[in-house]
Amino acid sequence: MNTMLKLGPAGAFGALALSGLPAWAQEGPIKAPTVEQMAGMVDKGDTTWMLVSSVLVLMMAIPALALFYGGLVRTKNMLSVLMQVFMIVAVVAVVWVVYGYSMTFTGGGPFVGGLSKMFLAGVGTGTYAATFSNNVYIPEYAFVIFQMTFACITPGLIVGAFAERIKFWPLMLFSVLWVTAVYFPVAHMVWYWSGPDFLSDNTADAGYLWGMGALDFAGGTVVHINAGIAGLMGCLVIGKRVGLGKENMAPHSLTMTMIGASLLWVGWFGFNAGSNLEANGLAALAFINTFVATAAAALAWVLVEQFRHGRPSLLGAVTGAVAGLVAITPASGFATPMTSIILGLVTAPVCYIFVSYVKGKLKYDDSLDVFGVHCIGGIVGAIGTGIVAAPSLGGQGWVDYSVFPAVAGTFDMTAQVITQIKAVAVTLVWSGGVSFLLFKGIDMVFGLRPTADDERQGLDQTSHGESAYNL
Amino acid sequence: MNTMLKLGPAGAFGALALSGLPAWAQEGPIKAPTVEQMAGMVDKGDTTWMLVSSVLVLMMAIPALALFYGGLVRTKNMLSVLMQVFMIVAVVAVVWVVYGYSMTFTGGGPFVGGLSKMFLAGVGTGTYAATFSNNVYIPEYAFVIFQMTFACITPGLIVGAFAERIKFWPLMLFSVLWVTAVYFPVAHMVWYWSGPDFLSDNTADAGYLWGMGALDFAGGTVVHINAGIAGLMGCLVIGKRVGLGKENMAPHSLTMTMIGASLLWVGWFGFNAGSNLEANGLAALAFINTFVATAAAALAWVLVEQFRHGRPSLLGAVTGAVAGLVAITPASGFATPMTSIILGLVTAPVCYIFVSYVKGKLKYDDSLDVFGVHCIGGIVGAIGTGIVAAPSLGGQGWVDYSVFPAVAGTFDMTAQVITQIKAVAVTLVWSGGVSFLLFKGIDMVFGLRPTADDERQGLDQTSHGESAYNL
Amino acid sequence: MNTMLKLGPAGAFGALALSGLPAWAQEGPIKAPTVEQMAGMVDKGDTTWMLVSSVLVLMMAIPALALFYGGLVRTKNMLSVLMQVFMIVAVVAVVWVVYGYSMTFTGGGPFVGGLSKMFLAGVGTGTYAATFSNNVYIPEYAFVIFQMTFACITPGLIVGAFAERIKFWPLMLFSVLWVTAVYFPVAHMVWYWSGPDFLSDNTADAGYLWGMGALDFAGGTVVHINAGIAGLMGCLVIGKRVGLGKENMAPHSLTMTMIGASLLWVGWFGFNAGSNLEANGLAALAFINTFVATAAAALAWVLVEQFRHGRPSLLGAVTGAVAGLVAITPASGFATPMTSIILGLVTAPVCYIFVSYVKGKLKYDDSLDVFGVHCIGGIVGAIGTGIVAAPSLGGQGWVDYSVFPAVAGTFDMTAQVITQIKAVAVTLVWSGGVSFLLFKGIDMVFGLRPTADDERQGLDQTSHGESAYNL
Amino acid sequence: MKMIIAAIKPYKLDEVREALTTIGVRGMMVTEIKGFGTQSGHTEIYRGAEYAVNFVPKMRLEIVVADSMTDTVVDAITKTARTGKIGDGKIFVMDVEKALRVRTGELDDDAL
Amino acid sequence: MKMIIAAIKPYKLDEVREALTTIGVRGMMVTEIKGFGTQSGHTEIYRGAEYAVNFVPKMRLEIVVADSMTDTVVDAITKTARTGKIGDGKIFVMDVEKALRVRTGELDDDAL
Amino acid sequence: MKMIIAAIKPYKLDEVREALTTIGVRGMMVTEIKGFGTQSGHTEIYRGAEYAVNFVPKMRLEIVVADSMTDTVVDAITKTARTGKIGDGKIFVMDVEKALRVRTGELDDDAL
Ligand SMILES: Nc1ncnc2c1ncn2[C@@H]1O[C@H](COP(=O)(O)OP(=O)(O)O)[C@@H](O)[C@H]1O
Ligand SMILES: Nc1ncnc2c1ncn2[C@@H]1O[C@H](COP(=O)(O)OP(=O)(O)O)[C@@H](O)[C@H]1O
Ligand SMILES: Nc1ncnc2c1ncn2[C@@H]1O[C@H](COP(=O)(O)OP(=O)(O)O)[C@@H](O)[C@H]1O
């Protein structure tokens, strides 16, 4: 299995080794360095990049995601959506430092980490986290923060599936249980490993899917498929909105939705390029791939609309952009700008079909298309990653960290695609199953849905006692 | 007294010295380096971090603060608030480069600096500013910019206290006089010192409160208490809004308030973590503390509302978040994530009481709760800093720069808390007193308040000849 | 001619050489380094700075510019403006990686580059782009991205001139043709050169205007004059809005305009300071100049309004700010903070006159004042750059890269101003002429303008089948 | 002719409109109003400041019809708008002396 | 029954509503309108483009009451809405032939 | 006195207002309404969900004038508001029994 050990692109590899330039570059890299040695392997440029990336990802959640969603609901529910996304960030941030980081990023098993770092025990200004290059480290707090922003935004994505008809506190409870039972384990499976300077000593010290060789540069499975399938379960358990199909449920402010989508695009560079953990040419590759895949997807969606309805819509443009961002997420560090464009062009129509037809046919009320965009787009991207990563297509391939120093691994596209599909399946089953049980359970115990009258009057007034606008 | 000399956390210290890695790390640090030597002590990672942090702090003022405040006023006064915050930034920026920087960051005396750097005389692309680490420098312009953003936002905070009933130009005049007579001196007292490579030669070359050993990592006293008490004076001098208690003064757009609050949270990392002046583990610590204290405060406020009114509100969530941001500001570089959470949990209820009860009881019309959130939250944070900084609680303690190279100082919690209280008192008295006189004086000479009819019609039309919305 | 070869400020020069600190600083810089050597000449602090700057410039386009413009149109056309700016970014991003980068940044001729880098052929994670310092490089992808954001925002600026009355697809076609025939060539003329380590071998290997010695730090000619004159041509070809002068065309949401303007200011630091390509004292200088010139221009505009109408307006404040940002763009790396303030104070009134009087007199319907603010402000700035760059005024002068290592050149203000005027003229003629032909051609073939009824009903419903608000 | 003014619950608007078209009503004017009546409003609390919102959003319909149609229309509205809950609304009938279609100048019943 | 239509200054709305409830009015319809009259509007200037806003925001009240109450209601409105400044507004009284409560079908005076 | 109620195309508002002032109308109430009539609305599609918007934005004018002026006013509105296209709108005339100016208490014709 260790021959399959991989993560992180290899193409940039030679360059990296060179540009890393640790003081002792001369003597070659140090295996399993001590913390004192790590202190000398930190580049402030990387630290700055990780802190900035964290800022960008937080901005993706608040205000970006909140506005993207909020603009799509009716005025009477605007605040409920803003509130849900905002408080999920707050609650999960606390959970993350209490036990989330430990469950996700300590060893312990292939499926979930341990509790040794509960309350961030042992983490300090003088401890460091590994990157994907030998002998390159970042302050551990910076890593904790960056990963925290991912945990904070993911459950926020789910709320779009049952927007306009959910009770606040039961949703908060769900979010805590969901990150605990779904997000932390899945993130551990995909992203946990002991690092390039340590893995070769114990190649088993890694998460299940990581060890399996699944490639997910920035969280296509962990974030999007994970949240997307959970959303579907949610809207199935909760049921349709009162008046669906009868009343006009047009977005109350596409202006807000456009602001949200734009800031999502802007912030996503922290999400994808930040996931490289280093500010180098590979981060720049992830950045440009994210940029053009999104552009291509927005364009594709608008063209589909032009052909289907004779008119391109702003909502179509921004929805396409988000679909592109979702799809490129796992591939961003592996593809080339050109293959990224193709990935974007392919993803948009697929999501369009789910959003505009499948949903209507299957009659589930995924209010803001969390499943159609995030889960479907995530799946296309996750599987596509297995293709665009191929060195034969200019892709970055994978790095074999089972040897020290790490070397480029040999790429087998078929095998890789199969591995990707396995990873997708595991995520769908785990997240779909557990999410369904959580929704059902909470619904039975506390009830997830407000009364029809409250839903009619709107959640802003009935759940929060406020109005979004008093113009 | 020099045994009390301190500033900047010590915990991270060992690590810092190591990770700094100046070319001559071998020969040990250079005392009082020449500007040529300083040129070699600059890390571009730090420079980038300071420029980015400055961008973030400016964003906190425009649009974040402007929107946070603007959303809370009635439609007819929206533009007046946006205009006030925007133009205060513009006016103070000019004042800052003309004489503000010089008054604040040159020696001269314990209470205020000199005029030797008026018009930024002597500042160039080849001059450098000290950080909190020996032999680590940043371009002086970067320091001038970072501090400029602080000066630009602080008077903007004040306007919330008398929003909807102030004349534009008298407010501009007040802002200029206030930064000159209050902000620059207080900032000099708290933040001016000759730097780690020079202080040991003349331990007296520092601001009054800095020398006294007051800990204020990012501006709890200088920014929040300072502005908060000034706001209270302002609303007392100006009086209540016409129709207060009779007419419905509900926020015209909580959507805008939520955008503002979210961007404040996002930008605040530049404010707090940027105040470390270096991109290292300590900056990351300040970052994560800012993150979780805010999250905890938002949660606490919402829980209080749930118990008091049976419903959590979005306005409560974002108000709590801002209270948390205010409270953690002075402590961000000293606390641990866990003590930060506690600080957040404590601050929210205290501010809640002032905002929801004290204000009503004492019948002052602090329109947007500048006093209740910024001054009170600032005081809780400033005093709390004396506790959470304690190494016994995992805090960072303080660094003794009176020796070269600097060493960790011995921490005495009681003494520290007393020092913190002294610093708070000095700020309250100085800012409160001078602000009151300035408001009174301007009111007598030019008049601060528009006519009742103009106030009724709204300041947008009467002061600016515009309407915020033409939907 | 090579004696005139220049670009990039010289003042900071000594300092730079020192602070660069490549590993072999001892042996002095290497001429025409190999790519392997370049790999060691990259500083992660610079890479981070370029990636962050790119994020900021993208944010300037979406959402900033879209909101700044969108807020100024009537509700019924809000989405059309948001859509145009958003999709221009998407389309141009794809064009850029396909052939734009190659046309702009490869040699080939003084007026336009070649096609050797079509589809980014030859660009990889291990290739590097030159900065303005000898032996300082950044990952080429980072340079491609940064320049891409400039190409994406520039055509977006144009749409303001004929907002509320243009068909979507013809505009997209225009944008593609315009960047191809105008933007790429002009950018090549102004910004292409072979870099400080290579130029001395072939001083002819540079764009026409660059070789002529025109100074344009961040794109005054390439971006603002270029777009501004194109906009004028557009509104002349398309004609006035239906109902102009008769109906009330007041901005539908100055709140959105203020958000947009604030984010433009915030993002512009990436635009101007990012154009330095390195995170050093010179970037900080460009940053502070951008800050204070903008502040001064906002103040100046508001004062003019106070004298002319007796009231300062928010729209005036933000328009002044944008005018200041435009004017300082070419000068940002050359001026001092004080001369920047003067440039801002001068620019605002000039633009005010064009916006408030000239436009009315000449009766062209430049809806959102693209010509009055961007073209006029750009001209004032471009010519002013020739003055403020003078070392005699504390300016940075110019660097002579025709020798290796580069040295400061001798500055002749009159000659420089003449060169600047030449550059402005070339841009006006090229962009004005080609743009006019493009508009005319597209109008004849496809028609640029919707029917009067559609224009009445609004483009949101008629072109996009949506409504911006359903409150 | 008569003008029939009705205040109904907002979400009933489309249903009522359809009901009216089926019985041959060719036009109406609809206004979003704040209704005040037995149906109580709600309270909002902003940072402890409590505001009683006494008004309830309603839709106000104005339909001008020939005298003969009046009752049919009133019945149609009553049927479709009724939910049985407080706040269903009111219908008022007033006399209209003259009607004119701007486009054609047609008068009275022909104008409707 | 009579319909009393009044245009008043917006900030007077709550006062008037209270005054009317105290004299036993049980409902009304309120509309935000643009008023045009002797009270002059204001001008707005956007980048030198001047717009005269001739309309003044007003609140329009419609109250249907039994004939007997008409004068009391008119007086109550007049008293509370009056400030003595131009723009206080107008009150119009019109006849209502029929009233109906949708919820119950009650007619005329019982419907109010 | 008569109340003249007119539904017109929004962009015609200013023209009509001017026309009316020139013939001596001193005031009116203007409401933004959703009009329903022969003029058809439009459809909007959001991510494949299609909504038929059956209402067209219109401006509703209410003008109370002395009986004598009624026809002049109706003519003035008809002339200025007419474009000949479907949706020009309607004019209705109703009787007003009483008018009062809140500020002065002046009655009927003096109140206008
Ligand atoms: N006297 C009245 N005059 C005008 N409109 C009225 C009157 N009474 C009620 N309305 C309108 O009818 C709506 C419903 O009336 P309400 O008393 O709340 O419920 P219900 O009609 O079921 O008794 C009110 O919101 C108001 O718009
Ligand atoms: N002839 C009229 N018909 C209908 N409404 C009117 C008429 N005249 C005035 N109004 C309404 O009354 C309001 C106040 O009238 P105005 O002449 O401005 O002040 P005042 O009533 O004090 O003379 C106007 O804004 C308008 O809404
Ligand atoms: N029966 C009616 N009662 C009240 N208002 C009506 C009626 N019919 C039409 N209207 C109003 O007149 C407007 C224009 O009418 P419409 O039939 O669309 O065009 P036209 O008047 O040219 O035939 C409608 O939008 C509506 O506001």
Side-chain angles (χ1 to χ4, degrees), chain B residues 12 16 32 98 104 140 174 197 224 233 245 267 274 287 317 346 372 389 391 413:
Chain B
L16 292 193
V98 172
T104 311
E140 184 169 11
F174 169 80
D197 299 338
H224 299 287
M233 294 304 146
F287 192 121
V346 172
M413 195 190 288

Side-chain angles (χ1 to χ4, degrees), chain D residues 82-93:
Chain D
R82 181 178 292 171
T83 70
K85 294 221 195 70
I86 285 190
D88 279 350
K90 305 266 191 278
I91 301 176
F92 304 113
V93 179

Side-chain angles (χ1 to χ4, degrees), chain B residues 453 456 461 465-467 470, chain E residues 11 42-46 85:
Chain B
D453 276 359
R456 270 248 144 72
Q461 286 175 7
E466 306 168 292
S467 298
N470 290 290
Chain E
Y11 73 90
H42 66 282
T43 29
E44 301 187 349
I45 306 182
Y46 299 98
K85 295 220 194 69

Side-chain angles (χ1 to χ4, degrees), chain B residues 99-109 112-118 188:
Chain B
Y99 63 82
Y101 176 66
S102 186
M103 270 183 70
T104 311
F105 288 104
T106 60
V112 63
L115 297 177
S116 58
K117 287 189 174 179
M118 259 183 92
H188 178 84

Side-chain angles (χ1 to χ4, degrees), chain E residues 35-36 38-39 58 87-90, chain F residues 27-29 64 101 103:
Chain E
F36 177 68
T38 349
Q39 181 188 5
K58 296 281 175 202
D88 278 350
K90 304 269 192 279
Chain F
M28 69 185 77
M29 299 185 276
V64 177
R101 184 192 305 270
R103 171 167 47 99

Side-chain angles (χ1 to χ4, degrees), chain D:
Chain D
M1 301 145 292
K2 303 294 174 194
M3 171 176 283
I4 297 155
I5 300 180
I8 62 169
K9 290 188 165 161
Y11 74 89
K12 283 288 188 181
L13 178 59
D14 281 315
E15 260 176 87
V16 172
R17 202 203 73 253
E18 279 161 25
L20 291 177
T21 7
T22 48
I23 60 165
V25 171
R26 267 189 260 85
M28 68 185 78
M29 298 185 277
V30 178
T31 318
E32 292 174 2
I33 61 159
K34 310 173 175 198
F36 177 70
T38 353
Q39 180 188 5
S40 56
H42 65 282
T43 25
E44 301 187 348
I45 306 183
Y46 298 98
R47 286 184 183 168
E50 208 158 327
Y51 298 114
V53 180
N54 302 296
F55 295 98
V56 188
K58 298 281 173 200
M59 285 292 176
R60 176 177 176 281
L61 280 52
E62 284 173 297
I63 310 140
V64 177
V65 292
D67 302 7
S68 55
M69 277 190 64
T70 317
D71 298 343
T72 346
V73 171
V74 171
D75 294 349
I77 300 178
T78 318
K79 276 200 204 53
T80 27
R82 181 178 292 171
T83 70
K85 294 221 195 70
I86 285 190
D88 279 350
K90 305 266 191 278
I91 301 176
F92 304 113
V93 179
M94 301 171 75
D95 188 63
V96 173
E97 297 179 351
K98 185 178 174 186
L100 179 148
R101 184 192 305 270
V102 172
R103 172 164 50 96
T104 58
E106 285 162 289
L107 290 181
D108 301 341
D109 291 6
D110 308 343
L112 305 177

Side-chain angles (χ1 to χ4, degrees), chain C residues 398-409:
Chain C
W398 60 278
V399 179
D400 185 345
Y401 291 108
S402 62
V403 295
F404 182 89
V407 298

